[in-house]
Amino acid sequence: MERDVNQALAREFGLNAEEYNRVLEIMGRTPSFTELGVFSVMWSEHCSYKSSRVWLKQLPTKAPWVIHGPGENAGVVAIGDGLAAIFKMESHNHPSFIEPYQGAATGVGGILRDVFTMGARPIANLNALRFGSPDNARTRRIVDGVVRGIGGYGNCVGVPTVGGEINFHPAYDGNPLVNAMTVGIAPTDRIFLSAAAGIGNPVVYVGSKTGRDGIHGATMASAEFDANSEEKRPTVQVGDPFTEKLLIEACLELMATDAIVAIQDMGAAGLTSSSVEMAGKGGVGIELNLDNVPARETGMTAYEFMLSESQERMLMVLKPEREAVARAIFEKWDLDFSIIGYITDTGRITVRHQGEIKADIPLAPLNDQAPLYTRPTVETPKQEQLNAARIEDRLGLTAGLRKLLACPDLCSRAWVWDQYDSTVGGQTVKRPGAADAAVVKLEGLKRALALTTDCTPRYCLADPEMGGMQAVAEAWRNLTAVGARPLAITDNMNFGNPEKPEIMGQFAAAIRGMAAACEALDFPVVSGNVSLYNETEGKGILPTPAIGGLGVLEDAAQAVGYGLPSWLDIVVIGKTQGWLGQSLWLREINGREDGAPPPVDLAVERANGDFVRSRILSGEIRACHDVSDGGLLVAVAEMAMASGVGARLSAHPRDVPGHAYWFGEDQGRYVVAVPDAASFIRTSEAAGVPAVRIGVSGGGDLTLPDGGTISIETLRADHAGFFPAWMNGDNRS
Amino acid sequence: MKAGIVVFPGINRERDMAIALEQSSGEKPRMIWHKETDLSGLDLVVIPGGFSFGDYLRCGAMAARSPVMAAIHAHATRGGYILGVCNGFQILTEAGLLPGALLRNAALRFLSMDCQLTVERADTVFTKRYQKGQTFRSVMAHGDGNFFADDATLDRLEGEGLVAFRYAGENLNGSARAIAGVYSPNLRVLGLMPHPEDLVDPLMGGTDGKPLFDALAAA
Amino acid sequence: MKATVTVMLKTGVLDPQGKAIAHALGTLGFDNVNDVRAGKVIELDLNETDPAKARAEAEDMARKLLANGVIESFRVEVA
Amino acid sequence: MKATVTVMLKTGVLDPQGKAIAHALGTLGFDNVNDVRAGKVIELDLNETDPAKARAEAEDMARKLLANGVIESFRVEVA
Ligand SMILES: Nc1ncnc2c1ncn2[C@@H]1O[C@H](COP(=O)(O)OP(=O)(O)O)[C@@H](O)[C@H]1O
Ligand SMILES: [Mg+2]
């Protein structure tokens, strides 16, 4: 199975001529088959970030509360009480298209390992999903598999899945996006890093055995799909959440001792990337003997061992003489434990198998001379700002609202989250559907974390810079809307083929927008993931910089949800101009996907949000919902549906057309319920924050400003209908 | 009542259960690893929820045959109290300590949502802080909660008053006669699918499950 | 040698999975399907050369673990 | 007539369930077990009297629905 190494094979492995020449230079000879494999995965887009690195550097990553920014397995921020939150989001897009259940399941497994490898107990999972058109026959099966996979894995490991988002668009027909996020908690002084140290220290393999799973998965994740992808696909990785659960418990148990020098999960490119990265970061060498790697199959080659992406495995460097302690723990949990090598002072990775040296590569150039491209970019042309007064409303408010609430992008996701265990752990304060961000309390403490994922890809397509900014701002807004102080984000940059200047231009612009928002909102990026080449037959996805936001509440009891209580005044905070460009109303009611997306004014965003948060913490705001997809009327309807309490809305101002006022998607707004609008608005005016009373809550109906009345039951039926009806009839398991 | 929680590999609601027990009794329950065999000194043995052994083959099948089970059988024979929730209920049926079996949910999907339970009798050590006929809210989170037993067994359970709880309103998982929990003939072993331990704090949405733990703590 | 244990739900125990498969086959246009039952198969590779012993052992495994007598029946094939 | 479709994970694909069963059999004292693979069996009652046609139809069902070709393989028996 080992083939002759040459230019042609290198190309098959995803290395271009220039990259292959650099390999020859570094090695000073023709690399062995295994060595070529190592180079090709380490230099794949997925592992090397060769197209994105120059841009990612622009993101702000620092704040006084940031303990570890990007570069570690996950980001780490201090949250008070001597604790740190450790979190990251990661994509499993390609595998989920090939095999939705296992692709999504192993995506959850992978991100969990990134977090507990740093010493954190995972306390919450979220997922950001994008699917093709519901009318595409394949979409339903992908949704079914992905949702079952996420639930199947997360429910079994016992980490609550507390939030996420779902969009549909034909641009994802051939490339669904599955971005999974995990959040964990550790004491700030017990965080485990991956830099290897200590010449002679044992390198230990723990977890599941190695099979021929997913070989070249990392290179696959760095390539476009074409009609032959189904043939070329590697053996699909199957997740084993039970083993993962054991691995979590065993690792945490070992981490409570002082045996570990460094630890890293085996993710993409498995043993190769974990060993190369650990040794590289520590500036040491590493020697591996593959004869000691626990194998699931017979006759595996060095190449296969090094590139396998078998799941539920970790690599660690132990302190000398601590092997017995560690071994006992892993044996207790019935997990494989094997010393497969040692740290050396050679600065090289040396791989032995069956008495032969199969690879011997200097680590410094393998890491430092990884390709880095400043690919050409082309700016997305700006779209025209639409004049709301010239867009006709043919449906009216009542019918428009009902249609919007029932559309795939706005309808209830209960069908989805009802399959995710959101309460295990007993700390979930706000479950899906209750608040703009999930709220999870820390066991034994008052403190809680608020968590959200956000991105509006249609804005990003129309204006990637504004879209990137908006995604960060919306995450910040969602955390603020529960009363949390936003601390940091993780991101998952999902884009098309970076070799196309328009796509690279989208990427660069999105980063610019994100960076500006992170800066203005004190909301740094602490971890992230890039997924490029999301294209099938030349057709790319919508640019999708998914943002995972994390915030903290000192007292979980102060968190508010969006369920509307009875007999309160309803106030909208922030200015409503009636921005219809790229709105869902424009798309769903008028069939148009055009116009400039709503602009984000970061100073206004911050002022509005800081005000809202202060009024939540003072207890004045009893319910709060940010205004996003669908605009003001949809936001109020969602609040009413959440609690079953209706509202009577007042007339809109004369200078804005009704449909634009109620369905426009102006940014930086919140709908809040307060006992006394007059006094509330006096405070807001003093703070320079626009606030307008738009109605009063109570009863079982929503009464619209044009006199239309809809019962909450009717709205709920409209809202809840789509998913179950769409999924019915396909119970394939 | 001195309580212990059995931890099988893959169990994941042991922490929730410990919090609920401690909150009512003021005492930390003993955590019992599945390879232990000595349960002496315990009045109440709790088998919590989760995915013991990954729920592979059948939910609870492998746990029901592991070393600690002999001691649990002995505890039952001694007249000790046993509470099995969710996976714990499945394990108790697999071990033959409770009748019936839990099949896949009728709709073949995992169900994670609130449900309402009716208290069938309020004179047991588990339910004396509830009222007969009362309904209370609980959280369910399971893929295999569809209670099954043959008609003769169901008739006997009903005839002998061994049905502990039924689903009020919609019977989402398809359980026979809407049964959500059952007792052993001596009323000292209780198994139920929903999780009372996840509603013992107003912050988490309510305290409907707390009377069960208060009753056990006072017993 | 190999022993295959097939575990099926007993008649009288509702088989929602079989029903769902039947329904899905119907929507795919297979209209010749009267009934579907879904079960499990466990293939055992046993360190045993005597077919009778292998069968006896597999039956023992099925009784003790692989099948739940309350709801399932099983059959064993040896090859 | 009856057709039985047996669906197993392809060789090389991890079978967590088989692994767990093997482990459990070991703790129960069955120490003759080299390997366990777990799969599904679907028993079809077809409105069809020609065995060749029944087989062809069952194979078609397996390809289109019963087996996931990415990770599973299947075999059909007709009786
Ligand atoms: N994939 C998912 N998994 C879990 N919860 C989800 C998922 N998608 C959406 N939700 C939940 O549905 C609710 C509404 O989501 P979304 O429409 O994205 O809200 P918003 O527009 O306010 O950000 C939130 O509670 C969110 O966490
Ligand atoms: Mg949101």
Side-chain angles (χ1 to χ4, degrees):
Chain A
M1 108 134 267
E2 289 202 2
R3 295 161 53 193
D4 284 346
V5 174
N6 52 35
Q7 182 90 246
L9 184 67
R11 181 181 330 250
E12 237 177 86
F13 277 20
L15 294 172
N16 67 26
E18 194 193 319
E19 290 165 350
Y20 181 60
N21 284 334
R22 193 173 306 170
V23 172
L24 292 177
E25 230 169 81
I26 291 172
M27 296 302 294
R29 59 174 165 81
T30 304
S32 70
F33 187 75
T34 305
E35 287 167 341
L36 183 70
V38 169
F39 273 100
S40 74
V41 293
M42 288 311 297
W43 289 5
S44 69
E45 190 66 61
H46 192 84
C47 292
S48 75
Y49 291 86
K50 57 190 168 192
S51 304
S52 56
R53 232 155 63 219
V54 287
W55 303 106
L56 294 176
K57 278 196 209 122
Q58 299 180 5
L59 293 170
T61 59
K62 294 200 165 56
W65 51 88
V66 174
I67 299 176
H68 292 288
E72 286 300 333
N73 283 305
V76 184
V77 295
I79 55 170
D81 289 333
L83 295 174
I86 301 185
F87 69 112
K88 183 170 188 269
M89 177 151 52
E90 196 161 74
S91 66
H92 234 206
N93 303 338
H94 292 67
S96 301
F97 181 61
I98 295 174
E99 187 356 61
Y101 184 99
Q102 294 298 342
T106 52
V108 174
I111 192 60
L112 280 163
R113 286 192 294 284
D114 268 329
V115 166
F116 73 76
T117 197
M118 297 195 73
R121 176 172 285 283
I123 63 159
N125 281 334
L126 294 91
N127 53 94
L129 311 175
R130 322 280 160 188
F131 299 112
S133 163
D135 301 330
N136 182 317
R138 198 158 185 175
T139 304
R140 191 172 63 173
R141 271 197 30 224
I142 294 176
V143 172
D144 182 61
V146 165
V147 170
R148 283 183 194 275
I150 289 170
Y153 207 99
N155 298 347
C156 183
V157 294
V159 176
T161 301
V162 297
E165 57 179 340
I166 301 171
N167 292 142
F168 294 91
H169 195 280
Y172 302 105
D173 277 348
N175 292 85
L177 303 184
V178 175
N179 298 169
M181 170 170 160
T182 294
V183 184
I185 296 295
T188 48
D189 57 359
R190 292 205 66 80
I191 288 163
F192 291 81
L193 305 180
S194 57
I199 310 306
N201 278 349
V203 175
V204 173
Y205 169 118
V206 296
S208 275
K209 295 188 192 330
T210 299
R212 294 189 174 91
D213 314 272
I215 290 172
H216 266 302
T219 15
M220 277 285 292
S222 310
E224 261 183 60
F225 275 124
D226 59 29
N228 298 325
S229 301
E230 308 249 340
E231 303 312 311
K232 277 192 283 186
R233 72 181 159 232
T235 317
V236 167
Q237 301 131 273
V238 167
D240 181 358
F242 171 57
T243 297
E244 179 102 335
K245 169 72 173 161
L246 304 186
L247 199 53
I248 294 175
E249 300 302 335
C251 286
L252 292 178
E253 197 172 320
L254 179 59
M255 283 160 168
T257 73
D258 65 345
I260 299 176
V261 175
I263 178 165
Q264 160 121 346
D265 62 298
M266 288 189 229
L271 193 50
T272 293
S273 72
S274 53
S275 57
V276 166
E277 283 174 25
M278 288 177 83
K281 277 186 191 159
V284 294
I286 190 166
E287 181 168 325
L288 300 179
N289 184 351
L290 301 182
D291 299 341
N292 294 334
V293 173
R296 195 175 79 228
E297 296 178 66
T298 51
M300 287 186 62
T301 64
Y303 169 85
E304 289 170 332
F305 274 116
M306 291 305 289
L307 269 70
S308 163
E309 295 191 355
S310 289
Q311 302 288 298
E312 292 94 21
R313 305 178 300 161
M314 313 280 271
L315 196 64
M316 24 190 223
V317 178
L318 293 183
K319 289 186 184 161
E321 276 121 55
R322 302 313 300 247
E323 295 128 28
V325 180
R327 185 186 294 276
I329 290 172
F330 284 87
E331 277 172 3
K332 168 185 163 192
W333 290 99
D334 288 320
L335 293 165
D336 272 296
F337 176 101
S338 180
I339 297 174
I340 63 164
Y342 293 92
I343 298 303
T344 67
D345 60 2
T346 60
R348 305 175 74 85
I349 175 166
T350 310
V351 178
R352 290 174 195 279
H353 189 220
Q354 297 173 340
E356 268 180 58
I357 292 189
K358 299 301 252 177
D360 185 18
I361 306 174
L363 285 164
L366 174 61
N367 285 315
D368 307 342
Q369 291 182 43
L372 179 60
Y373 298 123
T374 308
R375 299 194 188 275
T377 59
V378 165
E379 289 288 311
T380 304
K382 291 266 184 269
Q383 301 232 22
E384 194 188 327
Q385 182 178 334
L386 302 183
N387 179 349
R390 311 240 311 256
I391 301 170
E392 199 195 338
D393 176 15
R394 285 185 227 104
L395 271 191
L397 294 185
T398 308
L401 174 64
R402 295 189 57 181
K403 189 161 181 207
L404 273 178
L405 289 179
C407 83
D409 269 352
L410 269 182
C411 71
S412 168
R413 273 76 178 114
W415 182 89
V416 175
W417 75 58
D418 282 351
Q419 299 181 57
Y420 298 157
D421 189 340
S422 55
T423 52
V424 58
Q427 306 298 319
T428 309
V429 177
K430 298 288 179 207
R431 299 186 215 167
D436 280 318
V439 177
V440 181
K441 202 173 81 66
L442 305 184
E443 200 179 304
L445 300 172
K446 283 181 142 184
R447 193 172 296 277
L449 293 182
L451 309 163
T452 180
T453 72
D454 293 284
C455 180
T456 313
R458 61 180 190 280
Y459 295 173
C460 298
L461 181 72
D463 183 341
E465 180 168 359
M466 201 49 89
M469 196 181 293
Q470 193 276 341
V472 174
E474 186 175 349
W476 189 86
R477 208 181 293 151
N478 279 328
L479 300 175
T480 297
V482 298
R485 185 162 66 88
L487 290 181
I489 63 171
T490 179
D491 68 66
N492 206 141
M493 308 293 289
N494 307 276
F495 289 76
N497 180 348
E499 293 160 42
K500 294 182 181 166
E502 318 82 79
I503 303 290
M504 212 56 233
Q506 291 174 344
F507 190 93
I511 292 275
R512 255 192 338 265
M514 287 164 58
C518 290
E519 202 70 63
L521 302 172
D522 271 329
F523 202 30
V525 178
V526 295
S527 59
N529 179 249
V530 177
S531 170
L532 300 175
Y533 296 97
N534 289 290
E535 297 206 4
T536 298
E537 281 155 13
K539 199 167 156 268
I541 56 163
L542 304 184
T544 312
I547 303 298
L550 176 138
V552 66
L553 279 142
E554 261 152 49
D555 183 354
Q558 290 182 312
V560 298
Y562 56 61
L564 190 60
S566 283
W567 316 124
L568 292 177
D569 284 336
I570 304 174
V571 172
V572 60
I573 289 171
K575 214 162 144 225
T576 304
Q577 260 181 270
W579 195 283
L580 288 180
Q582 296 299 338
S583 66
L584 274 188
W585 181 85
L586 191 66
R587 188 181 86 192
E588 296 296 322
I589 312 290
N590 278 21
R592 291 172 54 180
E593 295 185 63
D594 63 337
V600 178
D601 181 325
L602 291 167
V604 168
E605 187 74 55
R606 174 130 200 183
N608 293 1
D610 287 347
F611 175 73
V612 167
R613 190 178 319 105
S614 72
R615 297 291 95 194
I616 290 173
L617 298 182
S618 75
E620 193 172 358
I621 291 178
R622 306 291 163 77
C624 179
H625 191 16
D626 78 307
V627 182
S628 56
D629 285 346
L632 197 47
L633 194 51
V634 165
V636 174
E638 285 173 345
M639 296 175 78
M641 288 187 293
S643 63
V645 170
R648 173 177 296 275
L649 299 177
S650 12
H652 57 87
R654 285 171 171 238
D655 55 341
V656 186
H659 57 289
Y661 186 82
W662 292 105
F663 295 119
E665 295 181 4
D666 307 79
Q667 296 294 296
R669 293 182 300 160
Y670 304 78
V671 177
V672 299
V674 295
D676 176 0
S679 95
F680 182 81
I681 290 170
R682 272 196 302 280
T683 343
S684 83
E685 275 169 359
V689 168
V692 181
R693 181 179 181 279
I694 56 166
V696 59
S697 67
D701 298 323
L702 186 63
T703 304
L704 302 181
D706 64 2
T709 295
I710 325 169
S711 74
I712 305 304
E713 284 320 306
T714 305
L715 289 178
R716 279 180 169 171
D718 290 338
H719 192 54
F722 170 78
F723 257 102
W726 183 51
M727 294 307 301
N728 246 349
D730 188 350
N731 284 324
R732 185 193 161 119
S733 49
Chain B
M1 199 179 262
K2 188 109 194 78
I5 298 177
V6 187
V7 182
F8 295 99
I11 283 293
N12 61 32
R13 265 185 165 85
E14 75 277 14
R15 303 151 73 85
D16 316 31
M17 188 60 80
I19 292 168
L21 287 167
E22 187 182 349
Q23 193 193 68
S24 289
S25 69
E27 221 182 307
K28 274 201 195 318
R30 185 178 129 199
M31 303 309 269
I32 303 157
W33 183 239
H34 69 120
K35 288 179 183 164
E36 288 181 41
T37 49
D38 179 13
L39 301 179
S40 53
L42 293 178
D43 306 302
L44 169 69
V45 172
V46 182
I47 311 182
F51 288 65
S52 59
F53 298 93
D55 272 1
Y56 295 138
L57 186 63
R58 286 184 317 278
C59 303
M62 297 182 203
R65 288 152 183 87
S66 60
V68 74
M69 286 311 293
I72 293 179
H73 277 282
H75 177 79
T77 311
R78 272 201 303 276
Y81 294 105
I82 302 178
L83 170 65
V85 175
C86 199
N87 201 210
F89 184 18
Q90 295 163 339
I91 292 168
L92 291 174
T93 61
E94 278 282 343
L97 282 163
L98 288 173
L102 282 312
L103 302 174
R104 296 273 307 270
N105 292 343
L108 301 174
R109 290 190 185 278
F110 194 91
L111 293 171
S112 165
M113 55 187 61
D114 282 352
C115 61
Q116 295 287 335
L117 297 180
T118 309
V119 180
E120 291 292 307
R121 55 189 295 175
D123 59 350
T124 75
V125 72
F126 302 96
T127 55
K128 56 180 186 282
R129 297 281 173 102
Y130 292 109
Q131 250 132 58
K132 182 170 155 56
Q134 175 188 352
T135 62
F136 70 96
R137 192 156 66 91
S138 194
V139 177
M140 60 179 171
H142 59 247
D144 301 72
N146 182 348
F147 184 74
F148 170 87
D150 57 36
D151 281 327
T153 308
L154 291 170
D155 291 343
R156 179 178 63 80
L157 286 173
E158 293 190 322
E160 295 174 8
L162 301 182
V163 174
F165 306 107
R166 286 183 218 258
Y167 298 103
E170 215 180 334
N171 176 8
L172 290 159
N173 57 23
S175 289
R177 305 189 191 176
I179 292 173
V182 295
Y183 295 111
S184 62
N186 70 356
L187 300 173
R188 288 172 175 231
V189 182
L190 166 65
L192 78 164
M193 284 313 297
H195 294 279
E197 74 276 18
D198 280 334
L199 277 183
V200 294
D201 185 337
L203 260 185
M204 264 44 87
T207 53
D208 281 28
K210 196 161 179 292
L212 189 144
F213 298 98
D214 288 347
L216 286 172
Chain C
M1 63 192 314
K2 302 237 187 251
T4 304
V5 181
T6 305
V7 180
M8 302 296 293
L9 288 170
K10 286 182 176 166
T11 27
V13 179
L14 208 63
D15 175 14
Q17 207 176 347
K19 229 172 66 187
I21 295 172
H23 175 78
L25 287 172
T27 36
L28 286 175
F30 293 103
D31 38 21
N32 256 346
V33 184
N34 298 327
D35 190 33
V36 180
R37 303 283 290 171
K40 284 178 277 206
V41 54
I42 296 119
E43 295 186 354
L44 303 160
D45 180 0
L46 299 177
N47 195 4
E48 176 61 68
T49 48
D50 177 344
K53 279 195 192 152
R55 167 180 300 276
E57 210 166 337
E59 282 177 355
D60 198 22
M61 292 177 192
R63 261 187 307 270
K64 291 207 175 118
L65 177 73
L66 304 178
N68 176 347
V70 176
I71 45 171
E72 295 169 328
S73 60
F74 66 88
R75 58 174 188 268
V76 172
E77 278 144 282
V78 173
Chain D
M1 64 192 315
K2 301 236 187 252
T4 304
V5 182
T6 305
V7 180
M8 303 295 293
L9 288 166
K10 287 182 179 167
T11 22
V13 174
L14 174 70
D15 176 10
Q17 187 157 221
K19 200 174 88 178
I21 295 171
H23 183 260
L25 288 172
T27 29
L28 284 176
F30 293 103
D31 39 21
N32 256 345
V33 184
N34 298 325
D35 191 31
V36 179
R37 304 283 289 172
K40 286 181 284 201
V41 55
I42 296 113
E43 295 187 352
L44 303 160
D45 180 0
L46 299 177
N47 196 4
E48 176 61 68
T49 48
D50 177 344
K53 281 196 191 150
R55 167 180 301 275
E57 209 165 340
E59 283 175 355
D60 198 23
M61 293 176 190
R63 263 187 305 270
K64 293 207 176 116
L65 179 75
L66 306 177
N68 173 353
V70 180
I71 48 175
E72 294 170 330
S73 60
F74 66 88
R75 58 173 188 269
V76 171
E77 279 145 281
V78 171

